[in-house]
């Protein structure tokens, strides 16, 4: 794929990723968020967090199955959008539901365990966002950077559990997310199992030559 096409794809992701927030702000300004606007805003940002987490995790399987290696260029932006919406989700809860009270938030978290699970997902995403730059990749090294960014799996799992636990009667949507996540994680396990193990290189011991002599000692 050409560089200009990759830039255009990034621009599409950038614009479309901001659309849900723009629509939410527009509806809030026109007071069209329903009977419980703060709950609608919190749920919407939480949903977008999960969607972008799933999209981020879907990049690698799609790239390997289709051979579209250019998809890897979109993963960083998708991951940052997941972190952005996760922060918005928490800040809306913290501000609208808890009135920016730390003590009230902590008390609520002890009562509702799903809040702890959700907070874990957000905390796990912090180092992923901080180390998403090219400079941090070079600083950490590819191997350590890839190991660190496997925390995205933890964030996605915690996000799905958080969504399922807070759902009351209708758990269909959380189960759909859980099913998609299971497929994406299952693909990674399958790919790791079927990956051929590296063949050990035989070590060749060079014969030693005695000093002052032409005889070779085996």
């Amino acid at each position: 794929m050409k560089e200009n096409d990759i830039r255009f794809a990034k621009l599409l992701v950038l614009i479309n990723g901001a659309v849900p927030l723009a629509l939410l702000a527009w509806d809030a300004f026109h007071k069209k968020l329903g009977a419980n606007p703060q709950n609608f805003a919190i749920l919407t940002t939480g949903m977008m967090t999960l969607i972008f987490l799933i999209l981020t995790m879907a990049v690698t399987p799609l790239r390997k199955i289709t051979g579209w290696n250019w998809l890897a260029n979109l993963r960083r932006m998708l991951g940052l959008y997941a972190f952005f919406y996760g922060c918005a989700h928490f800040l809306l809860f913290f501000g609208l539901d808890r009135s920016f009270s730390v003590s009230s938030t902590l008390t609520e978290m002890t009562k509702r365990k799903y809040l702890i699970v959700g907070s874990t997902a957000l905390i796990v995403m912090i180092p992923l966002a901080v180390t998403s730059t090219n400079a941090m990749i070079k600083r950490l090294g590819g191997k350590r950077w890839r190991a660190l960014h496997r925390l995205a799996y933890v964030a996605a799992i915690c996000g799905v559990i958080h969504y399922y636990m807070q759902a009351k009667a209708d758990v269909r949507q959380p189960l759909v997310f859980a099913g998609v996540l299971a497929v994406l994680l299952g693909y990674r396990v399958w790919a790791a199992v079927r990956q051929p193990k590296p063949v050990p290189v035989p070590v060749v011991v060079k014969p030693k030559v005695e000093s002052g002599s032409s005889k070779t000692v085996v």
Side-chain angles (χ1 to χ4, degrees):
M1 193 174 186
K2 295 180 180 180
E3 185 65 27
N4 289 337
D5 294 332
I6 293 175
R7 289 178 182 175
F8 181 69
K10 286 182 177 180
L11 181 62
L12 284 179
V13 173
L14 179 65
I15 293 173
N16 284 282
V19 167
L21 182 66
L23 291 175
L24 186 63
W26 176 269
D27 288 341
F29 181 77
H30 291 87
K31 302 184 185 302
K32 294 182 179 180
L33 295 182
N36 192 341
Q38 67 180 42
N39 189 55
F40 181 84
I42 292 170
L43 287 176
T44 299
T45 50
M47 180 76 71
M48 294 312 304
T49 304
L50 265 182
I51 288 174
F52 277 106
L53 274 173
I54 294 295
L55 288 175
T56 304
M57 291 188 61
V59 168
T60 296
L62 285 175
R63 179 176 62 83
K64 291 184 177 180
I65 292 171
T66 62
W68 298 344
N69 293 323
W70 57 270
L71 288 172
N73 296 282
L74 308 179
R75 182 166 45 204
R76 179 186 304 176
M77 192 177 296
L78 292 170
L80 288 174
Y81 262 128
F83 179 66
F84 168 76
Y85 279 106
C87 289
H89 178 64
F90 175 77
L91 288 174
L92 285 171
F93 164 74
F94 185 51
L96 299 178
D97 195 76
R98 297 291 100 192
S99 302
F100 295 103
S101 171
V102 175
S103 59
S104 175
T105 302
L106 293 176
T107 301
E108 189 71 7
M109 289 175 68
T110 58
K111 294 179 181 177
R112 307 180 189 277
K113 303 303 180 185
Y114 68 85
L115 295 176
I116 297 176
V117 179
S119 299
T120 302
L122 182 59
I123 291 170
V124 163
M125 284 193 284
I126 293 175
L128 304 183
V130 171
T131 59
S132 64
T133 63
N134 291 332
M136 288 302 298
I137 295 173
K138 291 180 181 179
R139 186 174 179 179
L140 290 173
K143 188 175 182 180
R144 285 193 294 175
W145 185 87
R146 284 190 295 271
L148 174 65
H149 277 248
R150 289 192 181 99
L151 286 174
Y153 308 160
V154 178
I157 292 170
C158 288
V160 170
I161 294 173
H162 167 74
Y163 188 22
Y164 179 83
M165 290 175 68
Q166 67 88 35
K168 295 178 180 178
D170 190 356
V171 294
R172 287 175 295 178
Q173 282 190 335
L175 289 178
V176 169
F177 276 106
V180 174
L181 180 59
V183 171
L184 295 175
L185 292 175
Y187 173 85
R188 284 166 167 81
V189 173
W190 174 77
V193 170
R194 71 185 293 269
Q195 185 176 7
K197 296 181 180 179
V199 179
V201 179
V203 178
V204 179
V205 180
K206 295 182 178 180
K208 295 181 179 180
V209 180
E210 289 183 352
S211 60
S213 173
S214 60
K215 294 181 178 179
T216 299
V217 180
V218 180

